[in-house]
Amino acid sequence: MSRKSSKEIRRVNVSSSLESEDISLETTIPTDDVSSSEEREGAVKITKQLIERKELLHNLQLLKIELSQKNLMIDNLKVEYLTKTEELEEKLNDAVHQKQLLSLRLDSQLALQQEDARKHQALMKKEMETILLRQKQLEETNHQLRERAGDIRRSLRDLELTDDCYEKLKSLPEDQLSIPEYVSIRFYEVVHSLRKELSDLQMKKESLTEELSGYKSQLKCLTESYEDERRNRSELEVRCQRLTLELADTKQMIQQGDYRQENYDKVKCERDVFEHELSELRRKFEILEVSHKAQAKERNDLSKELATIQQSLNLLQKDKDYLNRQNMELSVRCAHEEDRLERLQIQLEDAKKAREDMYEKYVASRDHYKTEYEKKLNEELEQIRLKTNQEIEQLRSTSKEMYERENRNLREARDNAVAEKERAVIAEKDALRKYDQLLEQ
């Protein structure tokens, strides 16, 4: 829009200068009328003053020729400015083409990123499926262990203890404890530790679910930012189309040249003023004709006419200076417009660089968060795997120790029973011997 306004200002200045030239040329009408009146009279002889007047007219014609040359120079400047505008339009078309290429590259990169995200999601699904299979296997093993524990529980009933009973039984030595009491103590210790670990696992599970919700919210924010960028890109495309339409409108305005239609009222007013001045000049000319009949005032009238011619020459000189100033102003404006175009090109390159930097930062941050998420997930899966293995090993060790302890106790009880049997046999033999002795007595 600023370019359009500057072009209109230049057109107005050039047209105003041309009109000023026409006005300055019209000031020579009275002199022509005077010369024609002198020819009509035919009574006045060729004198020195008439020669000077013709020289002045010749000078006026030379000035007209110079003014026509100036007009040609202004037309050449117009052509140069039109060529410059066409070059600027070509540059704008190149910039639009580059923008389209960048948009295509952005779309392709987004498609590649979406494919990478889909692949990563498929890998995550496969890993989750393996984890679920492992979990099912662990659940099956856990179910088997629970069945075994049910068998043990059926063999050893009422093993659950309260805290007070546990403290009382723990204070007693192991030799005084029975097998169910010893098993219940060990069962209480193992179950208590497992309950603590279960509560810790539940807490960790809650923290993991919270982290999962946070990652989901981050993913939602990233998708929203992507939608905002796409909307901004569409707005920029619409703005570019609007600018192209405005440029086409400016071309049509330049080709049509509606300056005369727009300034018709102004030109009409100036014409009326000039007609009024012309009527006044005619009236003055009639007065001069009346006064010219008097030979006494002829020299004064000629001196007055010479003064008017000098004034017209001064006006022409001023018009020439004005045209020179306007030419200088137009050259300065052209230089300013070129500087402004260079600054706009530099700003466009800076914006492109900033956009590329932002895109690189976005890719780097996405890769960083992706690696962090994968690392955390692998660490947590490894921790869960290690904990489940530890728990299984602990259960195996405790069940093995319990079975060994039961076997040892059973062996000790069998040995004690055999020893008691031997003592009972010996006592029976002694009793029979004593009984036989008493019978003999």
Side-chain angles (χ1 to χ4, degrees), residues 323-336:
L323 287 171
N324 290 323
R325 284 197 300 272
Q326 271 194 346
N327 192 6
M328 291 296 290
E329 287 177 358
L330 289 171
S331 62
V332 170
R333 286 181 183 175
C334 182
H336 283 302

Side-chain angles (χ1 to χ4, degrees), residues 112-121 123-124 215 218 222 362-378:
L112 291 172
Q113 289 176 3
Q114 288 176 359
E115 288 179 359
D116 292 333
R118 283 196 294 272
K119 289 179 181 178
H120 182 67
Q121 191 174 5
L123 290 171
M124 291 295 292
Y215 288 139
Q218 286 180 2
L222 289 172
Y362 170 72
V363 172
S365 63
R366 189 196 65 185
D367 293 332
H368 180 66
Y369 287 127
K370 183 179 177 181
T371 52
E372 285 184 354
Y373 178 73
E374 290 176 354
K375 188 176 179 182
K376 285 182 180 179
L377 185 62
N378 291 321

Side-chain angles (χ1 to χ4, degrees), residues 37 41 282-298 301 305:
S37 64
E41 286 179 358
R282 284 177 179 175
R283 186 173 56 81
K284 287 180 180 179
F285 180 71
E286 290 174 357
I287 293 167
L288 287 171
E289 281 183 347
V290 172
S291 63
H292 189 268
K293 291 178 182 179
Q295 293 180 358
K297 294 180 180 179
E298 184 178 1
D301 294 330
E305 287 176 358

